[in-house]
Amino acid sequence: MGGLALDIPRDLPESEQFVPDGACGTWFITRDGLINLLKMDKDQMPSLAEEEIKSKSKANGLAKALVCAQALWFLAECVTRLAQRVPISLLELNTFGHAVCALFIYLLWWEKPFEVDIPTEVHSQVLLDMFALARINRKGFGE
């Protein structure tokens, strides 16, 4: 899923436990939680380097280029067959439309990381306090 997360350890000393036992573990910061964090203290927001985000991506430029080359090959085949007045089936026509859309989306999202599963953990006392308050209100954090 990626994104930002808060990790509540299960083995906190009794004096530091501020949430019920069921609330320990990893909690993802939702849009509302992120907005509240920025309102309270902008310095608590982690700085993420572009290299750190890209290192979590599971697709590199070669994989994306191969997908685009395959889509272009199919499009070229269909256009060639149409130019030679060879009929194409409805399935091929449907696939042609999907290939055009896929190629367009790949070109627009070339720099977007692919399948980032590991979230970036945020360590902040302000965020822990916000989490305790959010657990009372059930707002701003999602499991």
Side-chain angles (χ1 to χ4, degrees):
M1 179 173 170
L4 299 175
L6 175 66
D7 187 42
I8 309 291
R10 297 186 191 287
D11 57 349
L12 284 174
E14 185 69 33
S15 61
E16 294 181 21
Q17 289 183 356
F18 61 94
V19 293
D21 290 334
C24 295
T26 301
W27 290 81
F28 293 99
I29 303 172
T30 63
R31 182 183 59 89
D32 292 336
L34 187 60
I35 289 171
N36 287 334
L37 175 63
L38 291 173
K39 284 180 185 176
M40 292 186 77
D41 190 2
K42 290 181 182 179
D43 296 333
Q44 298 296 320
M45 184 67 191
S47 61
L48 299 172
E50 186 175 341
E51 294 82 26
E52 181 181 353
I53 295 170
K54 284 185 178 181
S55 69
K56 294 181 179 185
S57 178
K58 291 180 181 55
N60 58 15
L62 177 63
K64 293 175 184 178
L66 287 174
V67 170
C68 290
Q70 187 176 16
L72 283 171
W73 183 264
F74 179 76
L75 295 175
E77 280 185 5
C78 287
V79 168
T80 303
R81 289 175 62 191
L82 286 173
Q84 294 174 347
R85 304 252 192 256
V86 177
I88 61 172
S89 69
L90 289 176
L91 178 62
E92 289 171 320
L93 185 60
N94 189 358
T95 306
F96 183 87
H98 283 277
V100 169
C101 291
L103 192 61
F104 182 67
I105 289 171
Y106 257 95
L107 293 176
L108 288 178
W109 284 6
W110 192 266
E111 296 297 321
K112 180 184 178 292
F114 181 68
E115 286 187 10
V116 177
D117 293 333
I118 302 169
T120 301
E121 289 189 12
V122 179
H123 304 283
S124 160
Q125 186 60 43
V126 172
L127 195 56
L128 289 173
D129 295 341
M130 283 177 51
F131 177 78
L133 182 61
R135 286 297 293 168
I136 294 170
N137 295 331
R138 300 270 186 192
K139 182 179 175 185
F141 288 83
E143 287 185 271

